């Protein structure tokens, strides 16, 4: 199906159907993405204030066969929010749909609009003594609609699950303007196909999520955080098992950090305080969310003592205050920014079966060492098998010294990942960056069904063309 660019006639149609405030200038930030891999385009920016306005805008685009790029906070890392080529699209921003419609503390749920910023949701439910567990580094600008559309993960997946598991229902507008309202507050509702789960993770290719019912959790009575030095990733996995045997599901986060990552932070952020004088080869950031009656410092000290006796840890620091806890998390959360400043040749958001993680790191490192002079920074959410394995130029060199290496390295790392039963996309999605990977590694029957589902939802192909599935 041929698509048409936004033209004066289409702009006039939108001006007639929508309030003036819904039409925005095509500002540069709408056309950028964090890693600078692509520069997007847009013939018009529409920022609806209601689901009814979203419906009108999508119906008009569908009638005119104009492509639509849904836009949340613009924080995605695989290019789903930018359309670099093809007919100039209508960019549909959810920035004005920020209402938190309801919070039900007794039911542990909240109903929020898709444009609500993640940290604002955290603050709103915290005032009701509740926790919305989804947390990512970009929480201050990421919007919940985009988090759901990409099925975001983050640091608390180990305990609470990813975005899909934290959503009970959605309101969404389909490409032809029809509104699907499944904002259920029910925990049990066996009434046929779960269309909610099709929209979550679809990256704006099937429709536009406009609101969601989110699962909340009680705020832990006490929180403890520690940064513990381990000999290697295998010891880190043993430490995770030991921690879970001690406190069960109270392990909220378990983050693997390499000495290379701490070194990058020293290199580009020398004023950031670090707890160790010399960078260890590996460490883990452990966070516990405990019920009443358990002291977090005592619990972490007992865990450290047992792990030290077992030879799993050699050093560590336990946060004694909120400021110290925040400082430890700052180390973890600034790793992506340090990577950006150093400048990677190839970055990889992968997941593996937990028992395969140590072997993958050993195998990937050995393979790279045989190819040339590289540095790697491997870190991530070890508790759920999600690694960010990133490859950088050797010390004193730049990306320009490695022409054409990025694609080759990505294929190499993804081939190793697939061979070990992993996935080339753990939490960032497919977007435009990884459509070729989906075709290379995806199950062909699954891909065929995905294309059929796309045809049912979006027969004119207007929704985010080029993302997830290549045309």
């Amino acid at each position: 199906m041929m698509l048409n660019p936004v033209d004066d006639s289409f702009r006039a149609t939108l001006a007639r159907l929508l309030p003036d405030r819904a039409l925005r200038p095509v500002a540069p930030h709408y056309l950028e993405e964090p890693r600078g891999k692509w520069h997007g385009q847009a013939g018009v920016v529409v920022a609806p204030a209601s689901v009814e306005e979203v419906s009108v805008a999508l119906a008009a685009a569908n009638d005119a066969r104009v492509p639509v790029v849904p836009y949340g906070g613009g924080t995605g890392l695989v290019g789903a929010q930018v359309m670099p080529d093809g007919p100039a699209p209508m960019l549909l921003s959810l920035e004005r749909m920020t209402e938190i419609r309801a919070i039900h503390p007794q039911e542990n749920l909240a109903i929020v609009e898709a444009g609500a910023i993640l940290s604002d949701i955290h603050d709103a439910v915290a005032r009701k003594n509740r926790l919305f567990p989804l947390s990512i580094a970009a929480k201050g600008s990421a919007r919940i609609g985009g988090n759901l559309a990409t099925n975001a993960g983050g640091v608390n997946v180990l305990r609470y699950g990813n975005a899909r598991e934290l959503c009970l229902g959605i309101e969404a507008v389909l490409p032809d303007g029809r509104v699907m309202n499944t904002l259920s507050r029910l925990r049990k509702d066996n009434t046929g196909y779960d269309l909610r789960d099709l929209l979550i993770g679809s990256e704006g290719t099937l429709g536009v999520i406009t609101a969601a019912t989110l699962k909340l959790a009680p705020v832990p009575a006490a929180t403890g955080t520690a940064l513990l030095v381990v000999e290697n990733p295998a010891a880190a996995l043993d430490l995770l098992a030991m921690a879970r045997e001690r406190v069960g599901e109270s392990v909220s986060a378990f983050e693997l950090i390499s000495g290379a990552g701490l070194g990058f932070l020293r290199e580009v952020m020398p004023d950031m305080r670090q707890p160790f004088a010399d960078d260890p080869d590996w460490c883990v950031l452990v966070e516990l969310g405990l019920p009443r009656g358990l002291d977090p410092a005592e619990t972490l000290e007992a865990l450290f003592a047992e792990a030290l006796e077992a030879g799993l840890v050699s050093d560590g620091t336990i946060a004694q205050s909120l400021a110290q806890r925040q400082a430890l998390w700052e180390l973890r959360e600034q790793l992506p920014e340090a990577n950006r400043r150093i400048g990677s040749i190839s970055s990889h958001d992968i997941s593996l079966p937990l028992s395969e993680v140590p072997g993958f790191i050993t195998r990937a490192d050995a393979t790279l060492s045989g190819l040339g002079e590289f540095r790697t920074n491997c870190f991530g959410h070890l508790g759920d098998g999600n690694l960010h394995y990133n490859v950088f130029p050797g010390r004193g060199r730049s990306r320009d010294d490695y022409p054409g290496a990025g694609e080759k390295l990505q294929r190499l790392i993804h081939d190793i990942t697939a061979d070990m039963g992993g996935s080339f996309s753990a939490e960032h999605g497919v977007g435009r960056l990884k459509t070729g990977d989906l075709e290379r590694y995806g199950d062909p029957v699954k891909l065929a069904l995905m294309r059929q589902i796309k045809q049912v939802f979006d027969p004119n192909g207007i929704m985010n063309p080029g993302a997830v599935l290549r045309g």
Side-chain angles (χ1 to χ4, degrees):
M1 179 72 67
M2 291 293 293
L3 297 176
N4 302 313
V6 170
D7 58 16
D8 290 340
S9 175
F10 182 69
R11 292 189 192 93
T13 298
L14 292 178
R16 176 171 51 83
L17 295 174
L18 294 169
D20 292 343
R21 288 174 296 176
L23 301 178
R24 298 288 172 96
V26 183
H29 73 271
Y30 291 119
L31 310 179
E32 300 166 350
E33 51 85 29
R35 290 182 176 172
K37 293 180 179 293
W38 298 282
H39 185 78
Q41 55 169 336
V44 65
V45 173
V46 177
S50 66
V51 64
E52 292 80 13
E53 290 180 11
V54 175
S55 174
V56 167
L58 284 186
N62 195 57
D63 289 343
R65 306 296 193 268
V66 167
V68 178
V69 176
Y71 187 89
T75 61
L77 298 176
V78 291
Q81 74 275 41
V82 293
M83 182 175 165
D85 47 39
M90 176 180 79
L91 188 146
L92 188 93
S93 172
L94 279 298
E95 65 195 83
R96 295 177 65 213
M97 295 185 62
T98 60
E99 183 182 354
I100 296 175
R101 295 180 183 175
I103 299 174
H104 300 275
Q106 287 184 319
E107 299 176 32
N108 280 323
L109 62 85
I111 301 174
V112 305
E113 290 187 337
I117 291 175
L118 184 56
S119 61
D120 290 344
I121 298 172
H122 292 165
D123 293 342
V125 302
R127 289 192 286 271
K128 302 289 187 180
N129 197 32
R130 290 296 181 267
L131 169 74
F132 179 55
L134 180 64
S135 184
I136 59 177
K139 58 183 177 287
S141 51
R143 299 181 187 272
I144 190 62
N147 297 146
L148 291 168
T150 56
N151 190 29
V155 298
N156 292 323
V157 171
L158 171 65
R159 181 170 183 174
Y160 297 103
N162 56 19
R164 175 174 279 114
E165 294 166 287
L166 292 171
C167 180
L168 281 176
I170 61 168
E171 171 189 88
V173 182
L174 303 182
D176 60 6
R178 288 180 295 164
V179 177
M180 183 181 78
N181 191 334
T182 60
L183 283 175
S184 175
R185 290 161 56 188
L186 302 176
R187 303 281 173 156
K188 293 182 177 180
D189 183 13
N190 274 329
T191 53
Y193 304 143
D194 194 342
L195 300 181
R196 169 205 60 174
D197 266 359
L198 279 178
L199 272 294
I200 296 174
S202 66
E203 302 185 51
T205 61
L206 301 180
V208 176
I209 296 171
T210 53
T213 306
L214 304 177
K215 295 180 183 178
L216 308 180
V219 176
T223 300
T225 306
L227 188 66
L228 305 179
V229 174
V230 294
E231 181 179 356
N232 51 43
L237 281 179
D238 289 340
L239 178 62
L240 172 60
M242 180 182 289
R244 298 187 85 169
E245 287 170 2
R246 271 190 165 269
V247 296
E249 296 307 308
S250 292
V251 182
S252 299
F254 198 88
E255 298 289 299
L256 181 69
I257 300 173
S258 70
L262 297 177
F264 280 11
L265 289 171
R266 292 186 192 278
E267 187 173 338
V268 300
M269 301 177 190
D271 294 333
M272 179 176 288
R273 292 186 61 186
Q274 296 208 27
F276 307 118
D278 298 314
D279 296 333
D281 289 339
W282 296 97
C283 56
V284 290
L285 182 61
V286 185
E287 182 149 293
L288 308 180
L290 299 172
R292 291 189 184 94
L294 291 178
D295 180 86
E298 291 178 1
T299 303
L300 285 167
E301 288 166 4
L303 173 64
F304 177 81
E306 183 180 353
L308 182 65
E309 185 176 351
L312 299 181
V313 301
S314 58
D315 197 359
T317 180
I318 298 173
Q320 301 297 320
S321 66
L322 177 60
Q324 290 181 11
R325 176 188 169 211
Q326 291 172 336
L328 292 180
W329 272 108
E330 184 76 359
L331 291 172
R332 167 61 182 86
E333 291 179 346
Q334 288 299 324
L335 287 174
E337 175 61 18
N339 282 350
R340 187 189 68 80
R341 296 190 193 182
I342 296 290
S344 69
I345 302 171
S346 186
S347 299
H348 314 95
D349 162 46
I350 60 174
S351 62
L352 293 142
L354 286 188
S355 63
E356 300 287 357
V357 168
F360 165 84
I361 295 172
T362 299
R363 181 175 168 184
D365 285 352
T367 302
L368 286 175
S369 67
L371 295 178
E373 185 182 358
F374 299 102
R375 289 186 290 172
T376 61
N377 182 12
C378 178
F379 65 98
H381 320 301
L382 185 62
D384 56 51
N386 178 192
L387 294 180
H388 301 294
Y389 187 90
N390 304 322
V391 184
F392 297 83
R395 188 173 297 278
R397 306 181 70 183
S398 73
R399 285 182 292 191
D400 295 338
D401 298 325
Y402 301 82
E407 186 173 339
K408 179 180 178 181
L409 290 174
Q410 180 172 293
R411 174 68 62 84
L412 178 71
I413 297 302
H414 287 173
D415 279 352
I416 295 173
T417 302
D419 185 58
M420 300 182 76
S423 170
F424 65 88
S425 178
E427 64 178 356
H428 293 163
V430 175
R432 290 176 172 81
L433 178 64
K434 299 181 180 181
T435 53
D437 291 306
L438 182 60
E439 293 168 358
R440 177 176 174 83
Y441 303 107
D443 175 73
V445 174
K446 175 184 174 180
L447 285 172
L449 289 171
M450 286 174 64
R451 292 187 183 281
Q452 291 173 21
I453 290 168
K454 169 74 169 173
Q455 180 65 25
V456 169
F457 273 77
D458 183 22
N460 292 328
I462 67 167
M463 295 306 304
N464 216 4
V468 184
L469 296 171
R470 285 199 280 207

